[in-house]
Amino acid sequence: MRYKEQMSKLRNGPGKNAIQQRALRVLQQKKMYESQMNQLAQQTFNMESAALATENLRNTMATVDAMKTANKELRKQYGKIDIDKIENMHYELEDLVEQANEIQESLARSYAVPDVIDEADLEAGEHFELDALQLEEDEEGGSYLADLNRVPDFVDEPPAKQTEPAAREAVETVE
């Protein structure tokens, strides 16, 4: 800008030519500096890219090392596990659960009780059934729960008797 103003004030001749030459040199220097700045910016970008790639490679190597270590540990741990034993245990548990379900189903059976009971039927038969129960108790002479200590017929082994734990006394410790 400064050179344009000077050239506009001067007439054609050696003075104006000298200013034009100086302006051209300044423009050439400006282009050279801009080119150098672009080169430096590109070099900086390349160096930062290389540093980032190096860091990513280190992270990848650390990840691979961690995966190798985990793989070794998993192999050690799984090497100790016998799948056949686990399957056998699973089958045994299935059998035990099936037995428990059969026992629960057997105990939950209803004896001549219809699935649907009408309230009117209950009210009508309530008085009659209470009289019949009283009559049965009088004839039998007691309740079926009277002998609670007797082992039922369907049990193979009598239950283990529980003993009361001995009372513990407080012991004073001297330190």
Side-chain angles (χ1 to χ4, degrees):
M1 289 280 249
R2 180 178 103 192
Y3 293 115
K4 280 186 179 181
E5 289 175 14
Q6 286 178 358
M7 286 182 7
S8 65
K9 293 178 185 175
L10 295 176
R11 285 189 269 158
N12 286 342
K16 189 173 183 179
N17 287 341
I19 293 176
Q20 265 184 336
Q21 291 296 323
R22 236 186 278 149
L24 285 174
R25 281 194 304 260
V26 169
L27 282 175
Q28 286 175 347
Q29 280 181 340
K30 179 181 175 188
K31 285 182 183 180
M32 182 183 72
Y33 290 147
E34 286 176 352
S35 173
Q36 287 178 351
M37 279 180 37
N38 287 338
Q39 286 176 350
L40 287 174
Q42 187 62 39
Q43 287 176 355
T44 303
F45 175 77
N46 290 342
M47 288 173 38
E48 288 174 353
S49 294
L52 182 63
T54 303
E55 184 178 341
N56 285 340
L57 183 60
R58 283 188 194 127
N59 291 339
T60 301
M61 291 173 63
T63 301
V64 169
D65 286 343
M67 289 171 63
K68 284 180 183 177
T69 303
N71 191 8
K72 285 179 186 177
E73 289 299 318
L74 285 173
R75 285 180 192 255
K76 280 183 192 175
Q77 295 302 320
Y78 280 118
K80 296 176 184 177
I81 295 174
D82 184 5
I83 191 71
D84 293 330
K85 287 182 182 179
I86 292 173
E87 285 181 357
N88 289 338
M89 188 179 356
H90 181 71
Y91 292 138
E92 288 175 10
L93 283 173
E94 280 180 357
D95 290 342
L96 290 172
V97 168
E98 187 176 323
Q99 286 177 359
N101 287 338
E102 288 175 5
I103 291 170
Q104 291 302 318
E105 286 176 14
S106 176
L107 292 174
R109 263 189 240 145
S110 63
Y111 300 104
V113 176
D115 291 337
V116 179
I117 300 176
D118 189 14
E119 283 189 38
D121 292 342
L122 283 177
E123 289 175 8
E126 197 174 279
H127 180 57
F128 172 73
E129 288 181 20
L130 287 176
D131 290 341
L133 282 175
Q134 184 63 40
L135 189 63
E136 280 180 21
E137 280 185 23
D138 291 342
E139 289 174 1
E140 290 178 5
S143 170
Y144 67 94
L145 294 176
D147 191 10
L148 292 177
N149 292 328
R150 187 177 65 93
V151 176
D153 296 335
F154 61 85
V155 176
D156 295 336
E157 297 178 12
K161 294 192 180 202
Q162 294 181 353
T163 58
E164 293 292 321
R168 294 186 180 173
E169 294 181 17
V171 177
E172 183 177 321
T173 58
V174 180
E175 292 185 30

